[in-house]
Amino acid sequence: MRIIDLRGQKLSRAELLAAMPRAAMGTSEATDLVRPILDDVKERGAAALRDFEEKFDHVRPKNLRVPAEAIADALTTLDPEVRAAIEESVRRARAVAKNQVPKDFHTDLAPGARVAERWIPIQRVGLYVPGGKAVYPSSVIMNAVPAQAAGVESLAIATPPARDNAEGLPNKTILATCAILGVDEVYAVGGAQAIAMFAYGAKGSEPQDGDVLCDPVDKITGPGNIFVATAKSLVSAFVGIDAVAGPTEIGIIADKDANPSLLAADLIGQAEHDELAGSVLFTDSPELAEKVQENLNYRVPKTEHAERVHTSLSGAQSAIVLTDGLDQSIDAANAYAAEHLEIQTKDADAVVKRIKNAGAIFRGPYSPVPLGDYMSGSNHVLPTGGTARFAAGLGVHTFMKPVEVIEYDEEGLKELAARINAFAVSEDLPAHGECVLSRFVEDPYNKETLREQEKEAGLL
C-alpha cells in the first residue's frame, strides 16, 4: 500500500479533504450508456427487459417475475447451516429496526395552537440486490427488514438471474432469503434495466407477464455497480433513492498498541469486494505501518481473490496515512468520512466520541466490518465516497417520511392574524395576509379601514 505522510503539516480543511485517497465514481461516463436503457424500458416494458437480460446476463428469462413456487422451493433446498445464519441475521436486524421506528410527537405553542409530526411509511419501495462478483442475500436482509419495520405495504425486489440457472431465475440463496422475510414480489432483472423497471413500471409483453409486469415504486434502495448507480442518479428527479453508492471502503484508526495482523486482515477483507474498493489505515506509528505492510505481503497471496485484493490495495483509493498523533489521525478520518470506520486504539471510547463523519463505527478489535456485513444487527448499506459527512446509512427512517400536522383553532389563529398579515405584506404577498384576516374581519381588502377592522376584531 502507498504511504500518505501528513506528519509535520498544518493542513487547512480543504487541503485535508483533498489529501484523502478516493476512487473515481465516473457516473458521468456511464450516462450515455444508461440513458437509452432507461428510455427503452419506459417505452417497451417487459420486452425491453428480456432483451437487456439476454444482452448483459446472457439468459432470456421466461418469467421476469419469479414464480411463488420457485421462491418456496429455494427455501426447502437451502443448506440448514446457511438458513440458520440467515435467520439469526434477520432476528438481530429486526430487533434493531424495531427500536429505530421514530415516534410521532406534538408541540403545544399556546392554547389552541399545536404542531404535530407524523411519520408515514413510503407506500411502495423497490429494493435492488446486486449480483456480479458475489451473491448478496445479506443485501436482501439489510433492505427489506427496515422497510418492513417502517410499515411499507408494498415491497418489490429485483436481482439479476443466476449465471448457472438455465431458466433465468435468480440465485437460490437470495430467493430463500426472500422466503424467510416473506417477500413474494421478486424479479429476475438486474442492472440499469431493473432501476428503470422500478422507476417507470413495466407493461407485460408475454402472457405470463399479465398486462402490467411491475408497478412503479416511490423509492429505490440498494447498492449496485456503476451502471446501477448512474441509473439511480438519472431517475432521482421523480422517484426517491437512498444514495448514489460508490465503491465500498474501510478506514481504520490504529495506534501502536493495535495488532498489525488483524489490521492487515481487515484491510484485505474490504479489498476483496472490488478492485476499486478503498482500504485506508490512519496511524501515528511508522513501526505499526511497517508491520501491517509485512502482514499484507504474507496474507494477500494466500487469500482466494488475491489478484482482486492486490489491485484494490495498490490502487490510488487505498493508502496508509501517517500522522503526527492521534488527534491528526482523528482529523484525517473525519475528512475521509469512511463508509466503515474501525477504531483500534488504546482508549477506543474516547476516539468514538470524537468521530463526526462515518457511515458506521466499529469499536475495538472484536468488531470487524464483516460483523456488520452479516450479523451485528446494524445495517450495511452505508454512505460512500465521503458522503458520510452529510448522509446516513440505510435504516427505518429511509422508508418513512415526517409530515407535520398543523392544528390551530380560532383562538390560536386569532392571536397571530395581525402579525401574519404584517409579515405577508413585508414580503409583498398581501393575499397571504388577506387569507388569514378573512376569518376575522369583514373586508381585508379595504386597506383604509383595515387597521380599525383589526382593532374591532380584537386582533391588535
Side-chain angles (χ1 to χ4, degrees), residues 137-194:
S138 57
S139 286
V140 181
I141 298 168
M142 299 298 168
N143 282 271
V145 167
Q148 290 173 331
V152 173
E153 63 184 54
S154 179
L155 290 178
I157 288 177
T159 189
R163 295 175 179 177
D164 58 354
N165 190 295
E167 299 176 40
L169 295 175
N171 175 270
K172 287 189 175 182
T173 306
I174 289 178
L175 294 181
T177 305
C178 292
I180 290 170
L181 290 165
V183 178
D184 60 7
E185 186 180 350
V186 183
Y187 296 91
V189 181
Q193 59 269 28

Side-chain angles (χ1 to χ4, degrees), residues 38 195-196 199-200 220 230-241:
L38 301 181
I195 305 305
Y200 306 123
I220 302 170
T230 301
K232 288 170 70 177
S233 178
L234 290 174
V235 302
S236 63
F238 59 89
V239 65
I241 64 170

